[in-house]
Amino acid sequence: MWDVQQLLLLCIGWEITFHVVQFCASRAPLPASFPVNTAPSYILSLFHALIISSRGMHHFLILLPAPLEIKMAPIANLKQFSDAFESLSSELQALEFTCLIFISYLIYDMIHVVFQWPRLGTFDVLLHHFAFLIAACVALNYQIMHFPFSWLVICELSTVFLNVRWLALKLGLPEKFVTVVSILMAILFGLTRVVLYGVGLAHLIMNLNLIVGVPKPVLIGIVALLTGGYGVQIFWFRKIVLISMGRGRTAMLQKQRKVAVA
């Protein structure tokens, strides 16, 4: 359930960490062209991706053999599965905390995207964040879709390599390293945000009837948001494949030089 105080502390924690990283970066022996003002956002994105995807993989593996009702239905309706629910109750509580981490980061990052527009992203980033923020908030409020949340945050694994690639470019690391990271990023993005997400979304839709006690418009709204989010992933995947293949690389670097001066 909601813990507003915990959520606020997490949001404040992200903001404090941002300023600590920015302070350290401003005093580190970095290239003169290194964007000190925007780099902390990418570094925090890397931290968040590592934390959230590792927790997501743990939740996924624990919930995978659980009954479908426990994977999907509101916690209040799981009393009939007393044995299975009792053994997984601590895991579901941990998953709710993971959801709070996810929500707090989205709130923090959306604020920075707006205030540093367009250096951290534009409307596609805001659309992506807003869709998942609303879906996560509603799911947490009703305590539903535990398993879908686990596979959803696993998708953040590709963000690790996205941010490593960005840092490698800004630090002027060897082209070969950047190429390897780009290929790994494209592979992981395809496996998680296209394949895993697509299969997970289909699984959610097929088992939506297991979620009882929740208004139908709420369920339809969440599915619509996740479906729209999947469309954004496909849009991004096309761009990432082109980058990993070396096409459009020059255009992207030119665009970055225009908007990443900080």
Side-chain angles (χ1 to χ4, degrees), residues 7-253:
L7 178 61
L8 288 174
L9 287 173
L10 286 168
C11 290
I12 293 170
W14 287 118
E15 188 63 25
I16 291 174
T17 306
F18 170 86
H19 289 287
V20 170
V21 172
Q22 189 177 56
F23 176 82
C24 294
S26 65
R27 283 154 179 76
L30 298 169
S33 60
F34 190 79
V36 175
N37 288 339
T38 53
S41 293
Y42 289 91
I43 294 171
L44 258 69
S45 176
L46 174 60
F47 290 166
H48 169 261
L50 286 169
I51 294 168
I52 212 78
S53 61
S54 60
R55 290 180 69 91
M57 284 187 281
H58 177 80
H59 299 321
F60 182 88
L61 293 174
I62 297 296
L63 292 175
L64 187 60
L68 277 172
E69 288 80 2
I70 290 182
K71 291 179 180 178
M72 308 289 289
I75 289 178
N77 298 350
L78 300 179
K79 304 301 182 183
Q80 56 181 313
F81 303 94
S82 56
D83 293 339
F85 175 69
E86 187 174 333
S87 64
L88 291 171
S89 60
S90 61
E91 187 65 27
L92 294 177
Q93 289 176 1
L95 185 141
E96 288 189 345
F97 181 66
T98 303
C99 190
L100 281 177
I101 296 174
F102 183 63
I103 291 171
S104 68
Y105 176 78
L106 290 177
I107 294 172
Y108 146 82
D109 199 49
M110 285 180 71
I111 293 172
H112 278 259
V113 169
V114 171
F115 278 92
Q116 297 195 58
W117 189 277
R119 293 193 291 264
L120 299 178
T122 53
F123 292 106
D124 57 335
V125 175
L126 285 181
L127 176 64
H128 170 271
H129 280 22
F130 183 76
F132 289 115
L133 175 63
I134 298 301
C137 287
V138 174
L140 180 62
N141 184 63
Y142 284 98
Q143 294 185 300
I144 57 175
M145 301 183 183
H146 322 290
F147 188 65
F149 177 75
S150 71
W151 57 253
L152 180 66
V153 294
I154 289 176
C155 296
E156 288 298 315
L157 188 61
S158 64
T159 306
V160 173
F161 290 89
L162 177 67
N163 288 303
V164 169
R165 180 183 182 277
W166 185 90
L167 288 168
L169 286 170
K170 298 304 176 183
L171 292 171
L173 297 185
E175 180 70 21
K176 187 174 181 180
F177 176 80
V178 175
T179 301
V180 171
V181 171
S182 298
I183 293 172
L184 290 174
M185 176 183 68
I187 292 172
L188 275 174
F189 197 103
L191 290 175
T192 57
R193 294 179 182 256
V194 177
V195 178
L196 177 62
Y197 194 133
V199 173
L201 184 60
H203 178 267
L204 169 61
I205 294 172
M206 288 188 296
N207 294 285
L208 207 60
N209 62 308
L210 295 175
I211 306 176
V212 296
V214 179
K216 286 293 181 183
V218 171
L219 297 178
I220 293 171
I222 293 178
V223 171
L225 288 170
L226 293 180
T227 303
Y230 187 59
V232 174
Q233 311 299 338
I234 298 298
F235 171 73
W236 283 347
F237 183 57
R238 178 181 176 276
K239 294 172 66 175
I240 285 174
V241 169
L242 292 177
I243 291 170
S244 67
M245 294 173 63
R247 300 175 186 173
R249 174 177 168 77
T250 302
M252 183 171 183
L253 287 175

